[in-house]
PDB file of all heavy atoms in Angstrom:
ATOM      1  N   THR A 471       5.169  12.728  11.410  1.00  0.00           N
ATOM      2  CA  THR A 471       4.201  12.926  10.409  1.00  0.00           C
ATOM      3  C   THR A 471       4.331  11.830   9.311  1.00  0.00           C
ATOM      4  O   THR A 471       3.382  11.198   8.849  1.00  0.00           O
ATOM      5  CB  THR A 471       4.237  14.316   9.774  1.00  0.00           C
ATOM      6  OG1 THR A 471       3.981  15.271  10.814  1.00  0.00           O
ATOM      7  CG2 THR A 471       3.271  14.517   8.684  1.00  0.00           C
ATOM      8  N   TYR A 472       5.572  11.657   8.807  1.00  0.00           N
ATOM      9  CA  TYR A 472       5.755  10.650   7.799  1.00  0.00           C
ATOM     10  C   TYR A 472       5.538   9.287   8.238  1.00  0.00           C
ATOM     11  O   TYR A 472       5.029   8.420   7.575  1.00  0.00           O
ATOM     12  CB  TYR A 472       7.265  10.749   7.226  1.00  0.00           C
ATOM     13  CG  TYR A 472       7.319  11.818   6.141  1.00  0.00           C
ATOM     14  CD1 TYR A 472       7.838  13.070   6.410  1.00  0.00           C
ATOM     15  CD2 TYR A 472       6.879  11.569   4.820  1.00  0.00           C
ATOM     16  CE1 TYR A 472       7.978  14.080   5.443  1.00  0.00           C
ATOM     17  CE2 TYR A 472       6.967  12.582   3.839  1.00  0.00           C
ATOM     18  CZ  TYR A 472       7.503  13.763   4.183  1.00  0.00           C
ATOM     19  OH  TYR A 472       7.581  14.761   3.199  1.00  0.00           O
ATOM     20  N   ALA A 473       5.842   8.987   9.503  1.00  0.00           N
ATOM     21  CA  ALA A 473       5.558   7.677  10.074  1.00  0.00           C
ATOM     22  C   ALA A 473       4.060   7.387  10.124  1.00  0.00           C
ATOM     23  O   ALA A 473       3.596   6.259   9.864  1.00  0.00           O
ATOM     24  CB  ALA A 473       6.201   7.584  11.475  1.00  0.00           C
ATOM     25  N   GLU A 474       3.279   8.427  10.468  1.00  0.00           N
ATOM     26  CA  GLU A 474       1.842   8.324  10.487  1.00  0.00           C
ATOM     27  C   GLU A 474       1.306   7.989   9.092  1.00  0.00           C
ATOM     28  O   GLU A 474       0.446   7.163   8.890  1.00  0.00           O
ATOM     29  CB  GLU A 474       1.229   9.573  11.060  1.00  0.00           C
ATOM     30  CG  GLU A 474      -0.278   9.525  11.135  1.00  0.00           C
ATOM     31  CD  GLU A 474      -0.913  10.835  11.684  1.00  0.00           C
ATOM     32  OE1 GLU A 474      -0.194  11.877  11.709  1.00  0.00           O
ATOM     33  OE2 GLU A 474      -2.097  10.818  12.003  1.00  0.00           O
ATOM     34  N   ARG A 475       1.779   8.764   8.101  1.00  0.00           N
ATOM     35  CA  ARG A 475       1.327   8.520   6.692  1.00  0.00           C
ATOM     36  C   ARG A 475       1.708   7.146   6.240  1.00  0.00           C
ATOM     37  O   ARG A 475       0.893   6.442   5.620  1.00  0.00           O
ATOM     38  CB  ARG A 475       2.025   9.603   5.784  1.00  0.00           C
ATOM     39  CG  ARG A 475       1.582  11.012   6.075  1.00  0.00           C
ATOM     40  CD  ARG A 475       2.417  11.937   5.276  1.00  0.00           C
ATOM     41  NE  ARG A 475       2.074  13.349   5.574  1.00  0.00           N
ATOM     42  CZ  ARG A 475       2.791  14.374   5.127  1.00  0.00           C
ATOM     43  NH1 ARG A 475       3.891  14.165   4.347  1.00  0.00           N
ATOM     44  NH2 ARG A 475       2.453  15.589   5.468  1.00  0.00           N
ATOM     45  N   ARG A 476       2.923   6.706   6.563  1.00  0.00           N
ATOM     46  CA  ARG A 476       3.407   5.400   6.122  1.00  0.00           C
ATOM     47  C   ARG A 476       2.538   4.301   6.771  1.00  0.00           C
ATOM     48  O   ARG A 476       2.092   3.393   6.097  1.00  0.00           O
ATOM     49  CB  ARG A 476       4.909   5.180   6.525  1.00  0.00           C
ATOM     50  CG  ARG A 476       5.460   3.803   6.094  1.00  0.00           C
ATOM     51  CD  ARG A 476       6.915   3.687   6.502  1.00  0.00           C
ATOM     52  NE  ARG A 476       7.071   3.889   7.934  1.00  0.00           N
ATOM     53  CZ  ARG A 476       7.885   4.833   8.450  1.00  0.00           C
ATOM     54  NH1 ARG A 476       8.560   5.665   7.732  1.00  0.00           N
ATOM     55  NH2 ARG A 476       7.977   4.971   9.760  1.00  0.00           N
ATOM     56  N   SER A 477       2.289   4.431   8.039  1.00  0.00           N
ATOM     57  CA  SER A 477       1.478   3.479   8.766  1.00  0.00           C
ATOM     58  C   SER A 477       0.060   3.395   8.179  1.00  0.00           C
ATOM     59  O   SER A 477      -0.500   2.307   8.009  1.00  0.00           O
ATOM     60  CB  SER A 477       1.402   3.866  10.232  1.00  0.00           C
ATOM     61  OG  SER A 477       0.616   2.962  10.963  1.00  0.00           O
ATOM     62  N   PHE A 478      -0.529   4.553   7.889  1.00  0.00           N
ATOM     63  CA  PHE A 478      -1.848   4.590   7.262  1.00  0.00           C
ATOM     64  C   PHE A 478      -1.848   3.768   5.968  1.00  0.00           C
ATOM     65  O   PHE A 478      -2.695   2.915   5.722  1.00  0.00           O
ATOM     66  CB  PHE A 478      -2.294   6.009   6.993  1.00  0.00           C
ATOM     67  CG  PHE A 478      -3.464   6.050   6.051  1.00  0.00           C
ATOM     68  CD1 PHE A 478      -4.771   5.663   6.448  1.00  0.00           C
ATOM     69  CD2 PHE A 478      -3.333   6.511   4.763  1.00  0.00           C
ATOM     70  CE1 PHE A 478      -5.830   5.711   5.578  1.00  0.00           C
ATOM     71  CE2 PHE A 478      -4.375   6.550   3.895  1.00  0.00           C
ATOM     72  CZ  PHE A 478      -5.621   6.160   4.293  1.00  0.00           C
ATOM     73  N   LEU A 479      -0.902   4.067   5.072  1.00  0.00           N
ATOM     74  CA  LEU A 479      -0.853   3.356   3.810  1.00  0.00           C
ATOM     75  C   LEU A 479      -0.518   1.883   3.865  1.00  0.00           C
ATOM     76  O   LEU A 479      -1.159   1.119   3.174  1.00  0.00           O
ATOM     77  CB  LEU A 479       0.131   4.098   2.862  1.00  0.00           C
ATOM     78  CG  LEU A 479      -0.285   5.494   2.362  1.00  0.00           C
ATOM     79  CD1 LEU A 479       0.855   6.119   1.571  1.00  0.00           C
ATOM     80  CD2 LEU A 479      -1.524   5.369   1.528  1.00  0.00           C
ATOM     81  N   LEU A 480       0.366   1.522   4.799  1.00  0.00           N
ATOM     82  CA  LEU A 480       0.726   0.149   4.922  1.00  0.00           C
ATOM     83  C   LEU A 480      -0.481  -0.684   5.421  1.00  0.00           C
ATOM     84  O   LEU A 480      -0.568  -1.871   5.183  1.00  0.00           O
ATOM     85  CB  LEU A 480       1.915  -0.051   5.812  1.00  0.00           C
ATOM     86  CG  LEU A 480       3.251   0.443   5.284  1.00  0.00           C
ATOM     87  CD1 LEU A 480       4.343   0.314   6.335  1.00  0.00           C
ATOM     88  CD2 LEU A 480       3.627  -0.290   4.004  1.00  0.00           C
ATOM     89  N   ASP A 481      -1.395  -0.009   6.113  1.00  0.00           N
ATOM     90  CA  ASP A 481      -2.580  -0.673   6.592  1.00  0.00           C
ATOM     91  C   ASP A 481      -3.676  -0.671   5.533  1.00  0.00           C
ATOM     92  O   ASP A 481      -4.356  -1.669   5.312  1.00  0.00           O
ATOM     93  CB  ASP A 481      -3.077   0.022   7.898  1.00  0.00           C
ATOM     94  CG  ASP A 481      -4.305  -0.648   8.465  1.00  0.00           C
ATOM     95  OD1 ASP A 481      -4.270  -1.892   8.707  1.00  0.00           O
ATOM     96  OD2 ASP A 481      -5.319   0.048   8.731  1.00  0.00           O
ATOM     97  N   ALA A 482      -3.856   0.448   4.869  1.00  0.00           N
ATOM     98  CA  ALA A 482      -5.014   0.679   4.008  1.00  0.00           C
ATOM     99  C   ALA A 482      -4.776  -0.024   2.615  1.00  0.00           C
ATOM    100  O   ALA A 482      -5.786  -0.585   2.021  1.00  0.00           O
ATOM    101  CB  ALA A 482      -5.229   2.138   3.722  1.00  0.00           C
TER     102      ALA A 482
END
Side-chain angles (χ1 to χ4, degrees):
T471 298
Y472 277 101
E474 180 182 14
R475 293 172 185 170
R476 180 180 57 240
S477 180
F478 164 73
L479 288 174
L480 290 175
D481 183 52

